Structures are given as structure tokens and as C-alpha cells.
Amino acid sequence: MKALSKLFLGLVVVVLHQGSNAFSMQQSNQSWGNLYVNSPYLEYAESVAQTSDGGFIVAGYSINNLVSSAGWLRKLNSNGGIVWQNRYEYSGNSSSTIILKKVVTANNGFFVVGSKLTNMNTMQPSSDIFVMRLDNSGNILFQKSYDIGAAIDVFTSADYTVDDGLIISGFSLFGRAFIIKINHSGMTRWQRTVQFFVASTIQTLDGGYLVLGFAALNTIVIKLDLFGHTIWQHIYYSPVYSTPLYLKQGINGDFVIAATSIEGVSILKIDPNGIPIYQKLYKNKYVFGIRSLDVTADGVVLAGYGFNSGLGNVNMVVLKLNNEGGIDWQKVYGNGQISSSASSVQQTSDLGYVLAGSAIITSVSANSCVLKILSDGTVPFNSSSGWAIQDGNYSAVDLDVGFSLINFK
């Protein structure tokens, strides 16, 4: 395996607002928004997680001249200031590049998962699942790629497991979807394939796993035991044709499934046995899509993108829902000169939220951004930056949902 080089990124950080250095496990008024400019690269933030020191770890990728790309990690303090930042790419004249899509905190460090792309500008491109484990300073403990058997293997999700490993899912182009369980050192414990597209796999509170996917415009959920054997499997029918993409379990054991459709974003909540509790559609008269969700003690938070006539362009959208699916609050974050999208959201230990995403300035200019917002979605952006925050105008509509047992292999 070729070694990865670790290069320091020469970044200019544009601070839109900076809050207190204090880190608290209780509700606070800490909020800020930072834009990270890495010229001449187009930079995209894909995933963010809070770390045990109260700071944050952000993963993404950058593109240079619309040709070459590399994965990067950025460790931030609690105010969004850069502690360290590394770019990971294959050394020498290798035709392989790294795209990092998900960062997961682990014991004394992080897992980062994405794709290793090879020969993408040729007639024989290939893509494998790529996993790194790093310590808290960003040093590589191991790196490994997983070739599932097809030329193009695409990563879709990863979740940290109680044995200090990962559960990973994805799909092979023109082939089956796959689920891989690895341990703390990257060794494969078990692997299985299914005959439908897998969007997300998580470990459940009972130690097993839940798999979310879809086929023929229907949502499919499979409950697995600790070793990947099927316990139950359901298919869910909805009056709205949608693509289920994101899955989380709440502290009471219920599961929340988020899907995007041409009509808006739908949320399906099911109990631990897969029985539907409710399904709702969230929409306005403009485009709205979801890219991340998190489950809180009092509901669900959704993050993605939507158009808002007051701010112009496509902007970051966050909806906070209660446990019954009603909207507690909704915010749109944007700038009339920039299109932006949130790709990751997580509730923080002070009961606020952290968002990571990208701001698209022109077709050849993109910057990553991280927002730390309060529990009510507010953040005091610097008015001189041109950024603004507005209430959204999304509404919730109840949907009927049917389900039945299925027998997929």
C-alpha cells in the first residue's frame, strides 16, 4: 500500500464572528460562523463532529483546477479557530486521489471514511472504500482500502460501534450494495451484500444494526443482529416518491428516517420493531433538500439546502422538529452573493448545534464553512460580511404510510 503524505494547508480564515473560549456541558450562548478560504482550491466540508475537548473535527475534500483532488481534516477549537489541519493525498505520481466524506470520533482519535479514486480520467476508472484511523493530532494510525469486487465501489455511510470499530455501507456500480463490519484496526469482522441500494447503516442500542435502503421507490429497512444476520425486514410505501438517505436512533429506541423528494423532505418515524409512528412532508414553494440529520432528546434536527426569496440563491436550511414531528423552529442562513448548503449537523454538548457545509461563490470558487448556532438556531453573524439569517417558511404535511414484511436476501 502506498503511503499517504500529510501536507499542511496554507489557509486564510475569514472569521465572521467569534464567541467565548469557555466550554460548558450546559446550555450556553456560544455561537459563531467561520468561512475557510483555501485559494486556489475549491473546498467542500462534508462532515463535522464535536470532540471531547469541546472543539470540532471537520472532514472534506478540495479540488484544484477542476482536475486533482485531495482529502483534508481540520481540527477546530471551541471558537472555530484552527488547531491543526492536514491534507491527505497519495505521494509520488500516483493516479489515486482521496475523497473524505465522513469523520467519526473514536477512542483517542478519529475514523475518517471516504473513497479512493484511481484512473478517473481514463477508460478504466476504479473506486474503493477508504478508511483511515488517526490520533487526536491527526497522525495516521492505519489506512486501508476495501475492494468489494466491482470496479466502482461507492461509500454511503459509516457509524461508530461499541467495540471501537465501524459499520460501513455502500454500493457497487451495476452490482449489489454491501455492509462491512470492521474492528479498531480495520480488520473485516463480517461482510454481507443485499439486493437493493443501501443509503445508511447504524448500530442500534441493543448492539445490532439497522440498514436503510430503497428499491422501486419504496423504503426498505432491515434489522440485523450483532453478526449481520437478519432479524426482521420491512418495506414502507409512501404517497410521495422519495429517496431515503439518512437514519438515526433516538434514546427511546425509535428510529428516524429522512428522505428527499421533488416535493420536499419527508420524515418517517418507526418504533424499535419497525412499526410506523408517523410520516410527514416538509416543504415550501421552493426547492428543499436534506443532507444530514441528528436526533435530540426533544426531537430531530434537519440540515440541508433550500431557496429563500428574501436571501436569494440556494442557502443553508435547518429545521428543528419536536418528538411528534411538528416544527419548533426553522432558519435559513445565507448571503445574496453566495449559494450555500449544509452537509452535516450535530447537536453539541451545550445544547446548540454545529453545521458544516460549503459556500459556492462562482463556478470556480468554493469555500468550506462551519457554523456554531444556539439552541434556537440563532447566530450573530458579522453584518459587514453580508451573511444573514431569516426564519424559514416551511410547513409540515401528514402523510399516510403503509408497510409490509418482505423477504430480501
Side-chain angles (χ1 to χ4, degrees):
M1 181 183 296
K2 295 183 179 180
L4 283 172
S5 63
K6 184 177 68 177
L7 304 179
F8 183 80
L9 284 172
L11 291 171
V12 176
V13 180
V14 179
V15 180
L16 305 180
H17 176 82
Q18 191 143 314
S20 166
N21 278 316
F23 172 64
S24 171
M25 295 300 291
Q26 300 180 8
Q27 190 166 2
S28 76
N29 59 357
Q30 184 186 36
S31 62
W32 43 264
N34 287 354
L35 186 67
Y36 301 86
V37 182
N38 182 25
S39 180
Y41 295 95
L42 283 74
E43 187 173 277
Y44 302 91
E46 292 291 308
S47 180
V48 63
Q50 188 173 35
T51 52
S52 59
D53 61 359
F56 306 94
I57 186 75
V58 188
Y61 63 95
S62 57
I63 300 175
N64 187 22
N65 298 323
L66 302 180
V67 177
S68 61
S69 61
W72 55 262
L73 276 179
R74 185 169 299 129
K75 176 65 175 68
L76 307 178
N77 62 24
S78 60
N79 292 325
I82 297 173
V83 178
W84 54 260
Q85 50 195 345
N86 295 332
R87 182 156 59 98
Y88 302 92
E89 61 182 12
Y90 276 86
S91 59
N93 295 319
S94 171
S95 60
S96 295
T97 61
I98 300 298
I99 301 293
L100 300 182
K101 300 287 287 184
K102 179 73 173 182
V103 60
V104 179
T105 55
N107 287 341
N108 300 313
F110 321 98
F111 281 106
V112 192
V113 191
S115 300
K116 184 185 81 169
L117 311 178
T118 305
N119 299 323
M120 298 306 289
N121 296 324
T122 71
M123 296 298 292
Q124 294 182 317
S126 67
S127 172
D128 296 325
I129 306 302
F130 180 78
V131 178
M132 286 194 301
R133 185 158 189 167
L134 308 100
D135 64 21
N136 285 319
S137 299
N139 300 307
I140 299 173
L141 302 179
F142 79 79
Q143 53 175 301
K144 188 171 183 179
S145 55
Y146 300 81
D147 184 353
I148 311 304
I152 305 293
D153 296 323
V154 180
F155 164 76
T156 58
S157 78
D159 192 34
Y160 185 65
T161 54
V162 294
D163 61 351
D164 197 30
L166 285 179
I167 188 77
I168 302 168
S169 61
F171 64 94
S172 298
L173 201 62
F174 308 117
R176 293 184 173 186
F178 53 83
I179 304 155
I180 310 170
K181 175 66 184 75
I182 66 173
N183 67 6
H184 67 282
S185 60
M187 180 182 299
T188 300
R189 288 304 191 190
W190 55 262
Q191 176 179 326
R192 64 171 290 180
T193 58
V194 292
Q195 296 174 319
F196 56 88
F197 179 91
V198 173
S200 182
T201 303
I202 62 171
Q203 186 163 50
T204 54
L205 296 177
D206 61 4
Y209 305 94
L210 203 72
V211 182
L212 170 68
F214 62 89
L217 300 177
N218 294 311
T219 298
I220 299 170
V221 175
I222 298 182
K223 180 67 172 69
L224 307 178
D225 67 14
L226 181 62
F227 305 102
H229 304 131
T230 300
I231 298 175
W232 54 257
Q233 43 199 349
H234 295 330
I235 186 168
Y236 302 85
Y237 311 95
S238 170
V240 176
Y241 292 123
S242 58
T243 303
L245 297 175
Y246 306 101
L247 170 68
K248 288 282 187 178
Q249 185 174 27
I251 58 176
N252 65 348
D254 294 339
F255 299 98
V256 176
I257 298 167
T260 293
S261 75
I262 59 173
E263 297 187 47
V265 170
S266 65
I267 293 293
L268 171 63
K269 190 173 185 178
I270 60 177
D271 72 12
N273 295 313
I275 308 302
I277 298 173
Y278 70 75
Q279 185 174 37
K280 292 181 182 290
L281 176 70
Y282 303 88
K283 64 179 183 177
N284 70 359
K285 62 181 179 180
Y286 304 112
V287 64
F288 176 36
I290 184 175
R291 296 200 61 195
S292 182
L293 76 83
D294 198 15
V295 174
T296 67
D298 62 348
V300 178
V301 60
L302 309 175
Y305 56 89
F307 183 83
N308 182 279
S309 58
L311 296 178
N313 294 327
V314 174
N315 299 292
M316 291 185 177
V317 174
V318 176
L319 268 66
K320 172 63 177 64
L321 311 179
N322 60 33
N323 282 318
E324 290 72 44
I327 299 175
D328 285 338
W329 54 260
Q330 47 184 313
K331 301 293 182 184
V332 180
Y333 311 90
N335 180 308
Q337 305 302 314
I338 298 175
S339 294
S340 58
S341 174
S343 41
S344 182
V345 64
Q346 184 187 71
Q347 187 174 43
T348 53
S349 57
D350 63 358
L351 303 184
Y353 305 92
V354 62
L355 308 172
S358 303
I360 314 299
I361 302 173
T362 69
S363 61
V364 292
S365 178
N367 303 316
S368 62
C369 50
V370 178
L371 280 62
K372 171 63 177 66
I373 63 178
L374 301 181
S375 58
D376 62 356
T378 57
V379 57
F381 286 116
N382 185 337
S383 59
S384 64
S385 70
W387 286 76
I389 177 174
Q390 289 189 357
D391 290 331
N393 54 355
Y394 298 89
S395 59
V397 179
D398 290 323
L399 297 176
D400 293 329
V401 57
F403 79 104
S404 63
L405 296 174
I406 56 174
N407 187 24
F408 279 99
K409 296 182 179 179

